[in-house]
Amino acid sequence: MHDVIIIGGGPCGLSAAIECSRKGLQTVIIEKSNIVHSIFLYPTNMQFFSTAELLEIGDVPFSTPNDKPFRHEALAYYRKVATHYNLNIQHYEEARTIARQDDGTFTVHTMSKRGIPQSYSSRYVVVATGYFDHPNYLGIPGEELDKVTHYFSEAHPYTGTRVAVIGGSNSAVDAAMELVRVGATIDMVYRRTELSPYIKPWVRPLFDSMVQKGKITLHLGARITEIHPDHVVVTPLEAEAFRLENDFVLALTGFHPERKLLESVGVHMAEDLDKPEFDPATMETNIPGIYVAGVIASGSNANEVFIETGRWHGRQIAEHIQSQTN
């Protein structure tokens, strides 16, 4: 029996565990991979949009010589924080369901990487599962081919190949810029008529320059509607479809939170944007004792909550739990 079970070991889950432990609550984190797994999945050379101070948790300074920290720095920082607070983390153990017991406690049923079932009990559960494991699929023929991926780590494997990048936000732009450096032939396809206005301001001029020089071919107002082993079919909004000879497809179409855990215990979802019902002052859902932290609290727009804002959810939760136990 623990006081608090936290499902998810991302920055917001770590922050919640720290804040609860500060209140004297016995806390365990259940993480299906390793801590901050979503950051691990970012591109190898990715630089954050936020400053280091906005990524800090637990009052531990995030030191970096750069204006904006890089992925490898964030991984090292969050490892340091977890070690500093000696957090109780069950790595590589996936929470499958949350069951409410007659005495008001909850049981979280898990499965280890080796296939061993386990269960944990507590009066309070915080769901901080993030979203990076659940890409937004296109639902088009050929999406299941090996040439297609929804994750981009680094450009080297695409050296000298023909790559279609689907998307028009920071992830797509960053990937295209990396691909330029290894001599890939790049077609960037985006369904809107303009790229996202939130592209990193220090990257946008460089990207525009690559487009003007013909290093990146931009297809705005268009979709890839079919993927074949040696080509893709591009369908513009106001023109006939055409073929592009192609070796790889990077479908950087974003991600969405997974709601199954919350639904398993009866948390209501708002009709608009598939958003869980919760009190924004306490982060408690319609099920007393079940809380949400981080991006899981957002709607279908996963960009509604970032580390910068979600890191404070743990403090709200810990304060509310403490008020219930006093």
Side-chain angles (χ1 to χ4, degrees), residues 84-102:
H84 176 78
Y85 282 99
N86 194 28
L87 297 178
N88 180 10
I89 305 172
Q90 299 299 312
H91 298 286
Y92 298 101
E93 193 167 337
E94 182 178 4
R96 296 290 182 86
T97 60
I98 305 171
R100 183 164 45 170
Q101 308 301 324
D102 293 337

Side-chain angles (χ1 to χ4, degrees), residues 20-209:
C20 287
S21 65
R22 284 174 160 176
K23 301 293 186 184
L25 300 168
Q26 186 180 14
T27 305
V28 61
I29 297 174
I30 299 172
E31 168 53 53
K32 70 177 181 179
S33 297
N34 209 323
I35 61 168
V36 295
H37 181 62
S38 60
I39 295 176
F40 170 74
L41 292 175
Y42 288 171
T44 303
N45 300 316
M46 193 213 77
Q47 187 175 22
F48 280 84
F49 196 103
S50 304
T51 61
E53 291 81 3
L54 295 177
L55 303 177
E56 291 177 353
I57 60 174
D59 297 323
V60 177
F62 187 165
S63 300
T64 171
N66 305 296
D67 293 335
K68 307 282 197 306
F70 286 84
R71 165 188 171 274
H72 70 277
E73 294 177 299
L75 292 175
Y77 170 75
Y78 290 115
R79 288 197 304 268
K80 179 179 74 172
V81 172
T83 301
H84 176 78
Y85 282 99
N86 194 28
L87 297 178
N88 180 10
I89 305 172
Q90 299 299 312
H91 298 286
Y92 298 101
E93 193 167 337
E94 182 178 4
R96 296 290 182 86
T97 60
I98 305 171
R100 183 164 45 170
Q101 308 301 324
D102 293 337
D103 62 358
T105 63
F106 298 95
T107 300
V108 176
H109 297 281
T110 71
M111 186 68 68
S112 74
K113 192 175 182 180
R114 297 180 179 179
I116 301 173
Q118 182 62 280
S119 62
Y120 301 80
S121 297
S122 71
R123 187 165 294 278
Y124 305 100
V125 177
V126 180
V127 179
T129 47
Y131 67 101
F132 217 61
D133 289 330
H134 306 283
N136 296 323
Y137 290 106
L138 298 167
I140 61 175
E143 190 172 12
E144 75 285 352
L145 293 174
D146 290 341
K147 67 183 284 186
V148 182
T149 180
H150 290 267
Y151 297 92
F152 174 75
S153 56
E154 56 183 312
H156 178 75
Y158 305 101
T159 300
T161 66
R162 298 162 297 185
V163 184
V165 179
I166 303 176
S169 60
N170 276 303
S171 58
V173 168
D174 287 347
M177 294 298 290
E178 291 277 343
L179 292 168
V180 167
R181 297 188 183 97
V182 299
T185 300
I186 307 153
D187 286 279
M188 189 165 168
V189 184
Y190 188 45
R191 59 191 176 89
R192 301 186 186 278
T193 55
E194 294 183 1
L195 296 177
S196 168
Y198 303 108
I199 293 171
K200 300 167 188 173
W202 61 90
V203 173
R204 184 60 189 264
L206 299 175
F207 174 81
D208 291 340
S209 175

